[in-house]
Amino acid sequence: MRKRLWIIFGIIVSLAVISVMAYCVFSIGKVDVNTTIDLAVLSNEEKNKIVELSGIEKGKNIFAIDEDIAIQNIELNMPTLKVISIERTFPNGVYIYITRRTPVFSLALSGGKYAILDRELKVISIDDVKNDLLTELVGVTADSINLGETLPDSRILAAVVKGAERCSFINARFCAFYRKVVIEESFVYLTSNTGVVFQLPVSSNIDESVIGSYGYYYDGASEKGKSEGYIYLDKHGWYWKAEL
């Protein structure tokens, strides 16, 4: 009986020692911030703020990191940044990979202010002056939205962005080609920088409509059809009209 107790005691002590050693070995010793090539070098002050907001502290166990909470804290407090990933480098290193969000949309708010949104429809700034280089967004109500938050009820707009990106209109290329997006109950209207308006029926596959309308614009429309009028969809395919 006594022998069995000594064996159990030895096992408990061994497990305790292993746990302490594991904690020490995998205790975070370095937290660093890396950026993408297109992002200007961050200052030490900015890096320190990112690490502080992440809640990832030296001395904590590397397995105890909650990436979702860390990302949320960083992006809500520094809305112009996007956390690409948080990676562990064993045994005790953590790297936070950051990039800069690109402004794409301008949305008028009450009081004469403008919410600036990126391709993920996240508010990255609220400005006093309209930026005419961005795509004007009409038909969306979001007066209560705050910095770092994502535009509510944005399924349709997100699908439009998805379709445009499959046509290689990403970030600055999107707002260079599509000057205005108007969302209505039955249709979405995309106004190009050349003056033609794409009328897209609101549906579950509106991203495919973006692709189809641009394909017609690129390959099927006349020179006049590329500079004015409307490109629309009927049961037979895509067509152009001077007026709807």
Side-chain angles (χ1 to χ4, degrees), residues 29-77:
K30 178 180 181 180
V31 185
D32 203 357
V33 179
N34 284 346
T35 60
T36 56
I37 296 173
D38 59 320
L39 178 61
V41 176
L42 292 171
S43 66
N44 288 331
E45 182 179 356
E46 289 173 311
K47 287 186 176 183
N48 290 338
K49 183 177 181 181
I50 290 169
V51 173
E52 180 183 353
L53 289 170
S54 75
I56 301 172
E57 300 176 358
K58 292 180 179 180
K60 286 188 175 181
N61 191 280
I62 198 169
F63 296 106
I65 298 171
D66 190 321
E67 288 93 342
D68 292 337
I69 292 178
I71 291 171
Q72 184 179 41
N73 288 342
I74 295 169
E75 294 191 348
L76 279 175
N77 289 279

Side-chain angles (χ1 to χ4, degrees), residues 154-223:
S154 54
R155 176 184 59 83
I156 293 172
L157 185 54
V160 169
V161 173
K162 177 182 176 182
E165 291 186 346
R166 288 174 62 187
C167 298
S168 297
F169 293 119
I170 302 174
N171 287 332
R173 292 192 66 185
F174 184 102
C175 49
F177 184 73
Y178 295 110
R179 306 304 300 144
K180 179 188 276 190
V181 176
V182 179
I183 298 179
E184 296 184 353
E185 184 176 354
S186 300
F187 295 99
V188 173
Y189 297 90
L190 308 178
T191 303
S192 75
N193 60 1
T194 61
V196 67
V197 179
F198 302 86
Q199 179 187 267
L200 312 179
V202 172
S203 66
S204 59
N205 61 341
I206 193 171
D207 54 319
E208 297 294 337
S209 293
V210 176
I211 298 168
S213 64
Y214 178 70
Y216 176 83
Y217 169 88
Y218 189 80
D219 291 323
S222 64
E223 289 303 314

Side-chain angles (χ1 to χ4, degrees), residues 1 4 20 23 43 52 62 64 84 98-99 121 129 156 167 182 186 195 203 244:
M1 183 67 178
R4 182 181 296 176
V20 171
Y23 184 88
S43 66
E52 180 183 353
I62 198 169
I84 301 172
I98 300 286
T99 190
L121 308 180
V129 180
I156 293 172
C167 298
V182 179
S186 300
S203 66
L244 289 177

Side-chain angles (χ1 to χ4, degrees), residues 65-187:
I65 298 171
D66 190 321
E67 288 93 342
D68 292 337
I69 292 178
I71 291 171
Q72 184 179 41
N73 288 342
I74 295 169
E75 294 191 348
L76 279 175
N77 289 279
M78 303 181 76
T80 61
L81 299 181
K82 174 181 173 61
V83 180
I84 301 172
S85 65
I86 296 177
E87 297 182 5
R88 301 172 176 87
T89 56
F90 294 103
N92 60 358
V94 178
Y95 290 88
I96 304 172
Y97 290 89
I98 300 286
T99 190
R100 186 80 68 189
R101 293 184 180 274
T102 301
V104 176
F105 297 100
S106 174
L107 173 63
L109 304 175
S110 59
K113 293 185 178 294
Y114 298 88
I116 308 303
L117 298 85
D118 75 338
R119 59 180 288 270
E120 295 181 341
L121 308 180
K122 182 164 288 193
V123 179
I124 61 177
S125 68
I126 295 179
D127 299 344
D128 294 322
V129 180
K130 180 182 178 183
N131 187 337
D132 292 327
L133 297 178
L134 303 180
T135 301
E136 182 182 2
L137 185 56
V138 179
V140 176
T141 303
D143 286 343
S144 62
I145 195 168
N146 299 310
L147 277 172
E149 295 180 350
T150 301
L151 189 69
D153 301 323
S154 54
R155 176 184 59 83
I156 293 172
L157 185 54
V160 169
V161 173
K162 177 182 176 182
E165 291 186 346
R166 288 174 62 187
C167 298
S168 297
F169 293 119
I170 302 174
N171 287 332
R173 292 192 66 185
F174 184 102
C175 49
F177 184 73
Y178 295 110
R179 306 304 300 144
K180 179 188 276 190
V181 176
V182 179
I183 298 179
E184 296 184 353
E185 184 176 354
S186 300
F187 295 99

